[in-house]
């Protein structure tokens, strides 16, 4: 019996070593794709701004989010820029107007410079429609009061993908790309306008995640193109001229852009795609006269992508880079890859802000450590 126990312990130890040996994070530390521009982060913006406040707007992506997402993202950035930083009782306020995007505001400071974070929580706008899928929820379907056999019995991993990645996350993209797009876009216009009204004339940094990138740039473009009230147009022009850095986490513009094109158009199929919302925004921003607002340094656009994130894509710098716009692609590993076969596809898409490397990239850029202790 004792020999069996020893053999079992040895086998378990060998299995543990095999699992550890087969567990890798190929993009930790992050890897910058060849041809990408070098860039700084929030730390350099703070240092260059002579003590004036810096504004940061964050917009979440697919999947249901709460205030916890906003605070987690801010904590990740602050921890990276101020090692030893300890999140204090939430120094934040938020607007919670019915049928509106929730704006979570939080004030921090780095070396005496005020940092004003505004996080947009838009997922309540889609929550009602997504509840229509509850009848097929794994193990807890809503139409099974009597007949338990109608409750889907799925493999654990498949159930996690169905309930999470599809029913709660991908459904947001389907909703936005359909008849709800104009309504959600208008709500984002209103949220951005309310946020701009609280800001000054200092530099602005935009951090968007997943589907949130498209929603944000669709809304900004509507404002800049004059499809909004005149004060909103002016506020958007000033904000665009203040914008110095854009960090796009889990970028989805390439696949979402397919919905804005015509199938079987032989002139464009498989060739150069139509301009996406980011391209249109950059063109509109460049067209503004200098009197529209103070011009800061060249705009930096950075895409952070886990290659095992099935729902995200790199940027193509050639589509966006100009003398006044520098573009970078950064590859990260949000979770371990096992034996080169699998990384959890749910956390690959949803765990960017729990990956400390993401906070470091936003706070410190690709090479600048002088302003990040």
């Amino acid at each position: 019996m004792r020999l069996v126990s020893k053999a079992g312990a040895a086998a378990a130890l060998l299995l543990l070593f095999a699992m550890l040996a087969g567990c890798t994070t190929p993009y930790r530390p992050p890897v910058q794709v060849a041809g990408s521009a070098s860039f700084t982060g929030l730390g350099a913006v703070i240092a260059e701004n002579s003590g004036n406040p810096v504004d940061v707007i964050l917009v979440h992506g697919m999947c249901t989010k709460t205030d916890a997402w906003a605070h987690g993202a801010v904590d990740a950035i602050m921890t990276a820029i101020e090692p030893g930083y300890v999140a204090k009782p939430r120094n934040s306020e938020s607007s919670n107007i019915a049928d509106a995007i929730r704006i979570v505001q939080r004030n921090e400071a780095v070396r005496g410079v005020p940092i004003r974070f505004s996080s947009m929580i838009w997922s309540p706008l889609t929550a009602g429609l997504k509840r229509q899928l509850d009848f097929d929820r794994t193990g807890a379907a809503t139409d099974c009061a009597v007949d338990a056999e109608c409750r889907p019995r799925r493999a654990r991993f498949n159930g996690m993908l169905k309930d999470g990645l599809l029913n709660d996350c991908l459904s947001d993209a389907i909703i936005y790309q359909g008849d709800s797009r104009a309504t959600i876009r208008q709500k984002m216009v209103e949220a951005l306008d309310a946020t701009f009204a609280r800001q000054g004339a200092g530099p602005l940094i935009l951090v968007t995640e997943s589907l949130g990138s498209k929603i944000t740039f669709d809304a900004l473009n509507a404002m800049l193109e004059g499809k909004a009230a005149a004060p909103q147009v002016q506020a958007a022009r000033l904000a665009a001229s203040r914008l110095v850095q854009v960090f796009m986490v889990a970028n989805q513009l390439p696949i979402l852009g397919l919905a804005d094109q015509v199938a079987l158009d032989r002139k464009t199929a498989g060739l150069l795609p139509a301009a996406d919302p980011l391209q249109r925004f950059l063109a509109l921003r460049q067209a503004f006269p200098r009197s529209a607002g103070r011009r800061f340094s060249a705009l930096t656009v950075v895409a952070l992508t886990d290659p095992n994130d099935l729902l995200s894509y790199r940027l193509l710098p050639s589509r966006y880079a100009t003398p006044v716009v520098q573009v970078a692609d950064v590859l990260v590993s949000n979770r371990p890859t096992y034996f080169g076969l699998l990384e959890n596809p749910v956390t690959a898409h949803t765990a960017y802000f729990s990956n400390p490397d993401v906070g470091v990239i936003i706070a410190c850029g690709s090479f600048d450590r002088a302003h990040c202790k």
Side-chain angles (χ1 to χ4, degrees):
M1 190 74 175
R2 187 176 178 182
L3 289 175
V4 172
S5 297
K6 286 184 176 179
L13 190 60
L14 287 173
L15 178 60
L16 176 61
F17 282 136
M19 291 182 66
L20 291 174
C23 175
T24 62
T25 48
Y27 297 105
R28 182 170 293 175
V31 174
Q32 195 162 336
V33 176
S36 296
S38 294
F39 59 95
T40 58
L42 174 60
V45 175
I46 293 170
E48 295 168 359
N49 199 42
S50 304
N52 294 316
V54 176
D55 292 302
V56 182
I57 294 177
L58 301 99
V59 184
H60 76 76
M62 297 189 309
C63 316
T64 299
K65 296 292 194 297
T66 65
D67 289 13
W69 174 87
H71 291 302
V74 173
D75 286 346
I77 296 170
M78 290 300 300
T79 299
I81 203 168
E82 290 274 84
Y85 172 83
V86 177
K88 302 173 285 295
R90 303 305 187 188
N91 175 25
S92 67
E93 58 181 272
S94 58
S95 61
N96 193 21
I97 303 171
D99 300 322
I101 292 174
R102 183 173 174 82
I103 306 171
V104 180
Q105 297 176 310
R106 182 164 151 190
N107 297 319
E108 297 286 351
V110 175
R111 296 183 286 280
V113 178
I115 313 298
R116 301 181 296 202
F117 291 95
S118 300
S119 302
M120 311 293 185
I121 308 296
W122 55 263
S123 63
L125 299 179
T126 61
L129 287 178
K130 290 195 290 187
R131 281 197 291 271
Q132 295 178 24
L133 303 177
D134 286 352
F135 78 95
D136 198 43
R137 192 166 62 238
T138 302
T142 56
D143 63 339
C144 297
V146 177
D147 183 7
E149 283 305 308
C150 78
R151 300 180 188 275
R153 290 180 292 178
R154 298 188 177 99
R156 182 176 178 181
F157 192 68
N158 293 69
M160 179 179 66
L161 293 178
K162 181 69 180 291
D163 297 343
L165 202 60
L166 296 180
N167 289 3
D168 185 47
C169 298
L170 187 61
S171 56
D172 279 325
I174 293 172
I175 291 170
Y176 182 70
Q177 295 292 80
D179 289 346
S180 295
R181 182 190 296 191
T183 299
I184 295 173
R185 182 179 61 211
Q186 179 57 33
K187 297 298 182 183
M188 182 58 73
V189 166
E190 294 168 4
L192 288 171
D193 185 57
T195 300
F196 296 154
R198 298 188 182 101
Q199 298 177 347
L204 172 64
I205 295 173
L206 181 61
V207 182
T208 60
E209 180 188 56
S210 180
L211 175 62
S213 297
K214 191 172 195 305
I215 295 175
T216 302
F217 286 115
D218 279 349
L220 284 171
N221 290 341
M223 298 169 81
L224 298 176
E225 291 168 351
K227 300 175 183 176
Q232 294 177 332
V233 174
Q234 289 303 114
R237 287 188 173 185
L238 176 59
S241 69
R242 296 167 47 221
L243 188 64
V244 292
Q245 295 177 345
V246 176
F247 293 94
M248 299 171 65
V249 178
N251 169 45
Q252 291 186 319
L253 291 185
I255 191 167
L256 295 176
L258 299 178
D260 297 327
Q261 301 176 65
V262 179
L264 303 180
D265 183 344
R266 299 184 185 277
K267 294 180 180 179
T268 59
L271 301 176
L272 186 66
D276 62 33
L278 175 59
Q279 283 179 292
R280 293 198 294 275
F281 171 77
L282 294 176
L284 288 165
R285 178 180 182 271
Q286 185 59 25
F288 298 146
R290 290 187 177 271
S291 60
R294 177 184 169 190
R295 292 281 185 171
F296 293 91
S297 56
L299 175 63
T300 297
V301 178
V302 182
L304 296 100
T305 309
D306 183 334
N308 289 320
D309 176 359
L310 306 180
L311 299 175
S312 300
Y313 297 80
R314 293 185 291 111
L315 288 175
L316 287 175
S318 60
R319 296 192 67 192
Y320 309 97
T322 69
V324 295
V325 179
Q326 54 185 13
V327 180
D329 278 301
V330 180
L331 305 181
V332 299
S333 289
N334 291 330
R335 289 293 185 268
T337 298
Y338 295 96
F339 302 102
L341 297 176
L342 178 70
E343 177 183 340
N344 185 324
V346 175
T347 51
H349 185 69
T350 61
Y352 283 88
F353 284 107
S354 62
N355 178 352
D357 291 338
V358 171
V360 170
I361 288 293
I362 295 172
C364 307
S366 62
F367 66 90
D368 173 47
R369 295 297 181 267
H371 302 109
C372 292
K373 295 182 180 179

